[in-house]
Structures are given as C-alpha cells and as structure tokens.
C-alpha cells in the first residue's frame, strides 16, 4: 500500500510514532520518500537512537519521486 500524496493546503510533514524495529531507512521506503528527506525533516534527531513511542516528522513524497 503506497502512502497518500500530501493533501493540498496541509502541513509539509505527517507524524509517525516509532514502533519496535522502526528505522529511517524502513520508514523512508514505507512512505516513499528519500532517506535524506527523512533526516532533513528531523533536524537534531539521532536516527540510530529512535525510541518506541517517539514521534517523528515524515515528509510527503514529492511528485517526482520514483517508486
């Protein structure tokens, strides 16, 4: 199931609550976004130390993203 495109007029990010075994790479693939975009959406966050229950920003995929 692919992630929906960003609704017009909405914020730039959706929120994701970290679950067991989540990491930026898996989440980027799941939501169809670039890993670098995930990192840029969460400045100051150590992506290797995500904690269950932590809320992160997930950018909406761009219209030019390949799948």
């Amino acid at each position: 199931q692919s992630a929906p495109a960003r609704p017009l007029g909405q914020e730039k990010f959706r929120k994701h609550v970290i679950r067991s075994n989540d990491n930026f790479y898996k989440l980027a693939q799941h939501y169809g976004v670039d890993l670098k975009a995930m990192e840029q959406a969460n400045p100051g966050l150590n992506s290797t130390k995500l904690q269950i229950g932590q809320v992160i920003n997930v950018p909406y995929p761009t219209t030019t993203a390949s799948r």
Side-chain angles (χ1 to χ4, degrees):
Q1 175 182 1
S2 62
R6 175 172 54 125
L8 293 176
Q10 297 293 321
E11 50 208 44
K12 295 193 300 188
F13 306 111
R14 74 184 87 208
K15 302 294 183 187
H16 176 87
V17 178
I18 297 298
R19 294 178 289 191
S20 181
N21 298 318
D22 276 353
N23 63 53
F24 272 16
Y25 178 77
K26 282 202 248 179
L27 293 172
Q29 286 189 320
H30 174 77
Y31 286 108
V33 298
D34 186 69
L35 182 59
K36 191 73 167 171
M38 287 285 295
E39 293 168 347
Q40 291 173 346
N42 296 279
L45 181 66
N46 185 338
S47 63
T48 64
K49 297 188 182 219
L50 299 176
Q51 297 182 8
I52 294 172
Q54 183 175 15
V55 179
I56 64 166
N57 294 319
V58 178
Y60 287 95
T62 62
T63 56
T64 59
S66 61
R67 293 185 183 209

